[in-house]
Amino acid sequence: MNDLLAALLLGILEGLTEFLPVSSTGHLLIAERWLGARSDFFNIVIQAGAILAITLALRQKLWTLARDWRAPENFDYLLKVGGAFLVTALVGLPVRLAGWELPETVAPVAWALVIGGVWMLGAERLSERLPERDRVTWTVAVLVGLAQVVAGVFPGTSRSAAAIFIAMLAGLSRRPAATEFVFLVGIPTMFAASGYALLEQLGDGGMPADPWGETALAFVAAAVTGFAVVRWLLGYIKSHRFTAFAFYRIALGLALLLWLPSGE
């Protein structure tokens, strides 16, 4: 396949799967079998495209929080976004430095997809029994931060899935409110993770191995696709459950276990 087209498809795939609760890692793992593996720098850049997408998609909320940050409700919300990020950083950095992470190979990613799908079905059922609440508590903030660390340790878990459903179970039971909070926490989290990964690579003397044109195209594709996905998902979950994504995860995970060699 043409390298430019392959880069475009990988960027689109990153934008499609980064924010849906289906695991971008699992999908990129499959895609690289046919489209070819890319450098770490390329993967960092396309994730940056996804960060730009979510920032633009939530720009109205971000502007409101920034403009009226002194308002008690907004100040409290910002504190909890910051608190969730701080939990992720303080717990996640030692975990990263210790190397506590499963390999991004078929078997662990596939099992994470299946187990995560079952978890989503159960968590949504349990959350529906709770009173409808849209207020973020400190319990929600801390657990969202920890959920992001767990997702980092277990590739295929999906950061958004882990964090959204733990938020719902912890009391932020309205799907749109839980999803928006998790996405907002994801902005500094993804910025920090991408920046740290880039510094690591530069510190190791790693230089971009992919042509700049292909990398730039993939960045734009990830940003445009991610923007559309975030806007669509925030509207979709106002009247739909996450059930379809859960069954999709389970089917994809089982397909990976059955049809792809576990060592790859």
Side-chain angles (χ1 to χ4, degrees), residues 130-206:
L130 301 174
E132 280 212 356
R133 295 174 183 165
D134 58 8
R135 182 174 174 272
V136 181
T137 64
W138 278 109
T139 299
V140 169
V142 170
L143 290 177
V144 164
L146 292 174
Q148 294 193 129
V149 177
V150 171
V153 173
F154 297 97
T157 302
S158 171
R159 185 194 62 81
S160 60
I164 289 169
F165 283 95
I166 202 66
M168 290 170 65
L169 289 176
L172 193 58
S173 51
R174 291 189 63 245
R175 284 186 297 270
T179 303
E180 183 177 72
F181 179 72
V182 167
F183 281 178
L184 287 168
V185 173
I187 294 173
T189 301
M190 291 170 68
F191 265 121
S194 295
Y196 183 82
L198 182 59
L199 288 174
E200 270 190 327
Q201 186 178 354
L202 294 176
D204 292 337

Side-chain angles (χ1 to χ4, degrees), residues 16-39:
L16 283 173
T17 59
E18 182 64 48
F19 304 110
L20 296 179
V22 296
S23 171
S24 59
T25 302
H27 287 78
L28 291 172
L29 182 71
I30 302 168
E32 286 183 348
R33 290 177 58 84
W34 288 279
L35 302 177
R38 293 282 175 159
S39 69

